Structure formats: structure tokens, C-alpha cells
Amino acid sequence: MTTPPALGTDEARDRLHELTVIDVRTPGEYAGGHLPGALNVPLAQIQQALPDIRHAAERGDVLIVCASGARSENACAILADNHVTAATLSGGTAAWAAGGNELRRESTSRATWGMERQVRFTAGILVLLGLLLGLLVHPAFQLVSAAFAGGLVFSALTDTCGMAALLARLPHNRPRPADLAVTLAALRSR
């Protein structure tokens, strides 16, 4: 896999008016704060949105954004495999906000934690549960904690996260079909 081109926050800010910005985080993360003008196409929906992203890329440069840059690099790789060129924002929305740039927030009744926070919470609960069951029921339950600790190490070494992929499938992390349809229509009009 080749590394996609990356824009720093200063260059992205200067070119924001000419870029089609696609945020590949979950809808809850997107609602919590995104670049001005960004459209939400969760990473799991990239293939479905491919024709519309290709159309936008034919008309101008596309910038893919996520929280830190890992998911946007994955999205850029998927797009590159389908002959669509896109850049990623170095450091993601975290770097954007750290640089003092504006984040737009969506008013929503679904207050969803960021994916990294959801993973930390879930992993922590499962490790504690394994330890508690190991103390109260049977010591073999401590293997649950060991398994999740090993999974976290594997996740760090490979820069992948199976738990995040599973959590992204939960209803509060998936876009409503109407939301994605509106986003795809906006991509077609660019």
C-alpha cells in the first residue's frame, strides 16, 4: 500500500473552499465536530459512495478526514484501488482543532462518543469483567482479560482495530439511510 498524499492543516485551511472534504468517521463522531463543509461518508460506506466520490474527484481535489489519520489513509487506499485520487489530512480533526481551526458541530439527540473512546471503554469493561469473574467464579475467566490485552497489543502493532470495526456496526454509529442519501446527493452536485 502506498501512502496517500497528505495535506497539513495550514494548507487544508487555505484550500478548504476548493476541496471536497469527506469525513469517514461514524455519524456520532462527525456530529461531535467536523471541518466546515465536510460531508460524512463513514469508512464502512466508502464502496457504496464510490461513484459519487469519483464524480467529485473528477471536478476537483478530494480531502479525506478522520479523527487522527488512520481511517482516512484506509479510505484513500480503497479509493486508490478504484482509481480515485484523494489526499488525507495529516493528524485528522485532532490536529485541525489543535491548530485553532473551527470545528462545526451538528445538533443531534444522539450524543455518541468518539470511536477511540468507545473502544477504550469497551476493552476496559471486558478486562474488568474477566478479572472479576476470575475472582468470583473461576480463575479461567482471567483468560478473557488476557485475550483483550493481547488484542490491544495486536491492534497497536498493526494499526488496526477489530473492536472498532465491530462497534462501528452498532446502530448509534451507523448513518441513517436518509443521511447517506443526502450526502451522496451533495457529492453529485459538487
Side-chain angles (χ1 to χ4, degrees):
M1 178 175 105
T2 60
T3 304
L7 297 181
T9 55
D10 292 339
E11 184 179 1
R13 184 185 56 248
D14 293 344
R15 296 187 53 209
L16 198 58
H17 65 281
E18 66 188 52
L19 296 169
T20 297
V21 181
I22 299 173
D23 192 318
V24 295
R25 296 175 299 156
T26 66
E29 291 174 292
Y30 173 83
H34 57 271
L35 274 68
L39 300 170
N40 186 218
V41 180
L43 182 58
Q45 304 290 322
I46 285 289
Q47 289 288 353
Q48 182 179 347
L50 190 59
D52 298 308
I53 296 171
R54 179 178 288 117
H55 176 74
E58 290 169 354
R59 300 177 69 174
D61 292 337
V62 174
L63 179 65
I64 307 293
V65 180
C66 69
S68 64
R71 282 180 277 181
S72 61
E73 284 186 13
N74 290 340
C76 285
I78 292 168
L79 294 173
D81 289 345
N82 288 280
H83 311 291
V84 177
T85 302
T88 184
L89 178 64
S90 295
T93 55
W96 180 265
N101 297 299
E102 173 190 11
L103 286 177
R104 299 268 167 88
R105 297 182 187 339
E106 302 289 318
S107 60
T108 178
S109 60
R110 303 189 306 174
T112 304
W113 289 350
M115 187 56 65
E116 183 180 337
R117 187 175 181 191
Q118 291 180 50
V119 168
R120 289 192 317 253
F121 179 78
T122 304
I125 288 290
L126 292 170
V127 167
L128 287 174
L129 182 63
L131 291 174
L132 184 64
L133 289 173
L135 288 172
L136 299 176
V137 179
H138 191 277
F141 278 107
Q142 292 176 350
L143 293 174
V144 171
S145 298
F148 280 98
L152 291 170
V153 170
F154 178 79
S155 175
L157 291 174
T158 62
D159 198 24
T160 61
C161 187
M163 188 181 294
L166 290 174
L167 290 172
R169 296 179 188 272
L170 293 175
H172 66 275
N173 283 327
R174 288 192 317 230
R176 294 183 304 247
D179 293 342
L180 189 59
V182 168
T183 298
L184 296 180
L187 274 172
R188 283 189 286 273
S189 69
R190 294 204 174 202

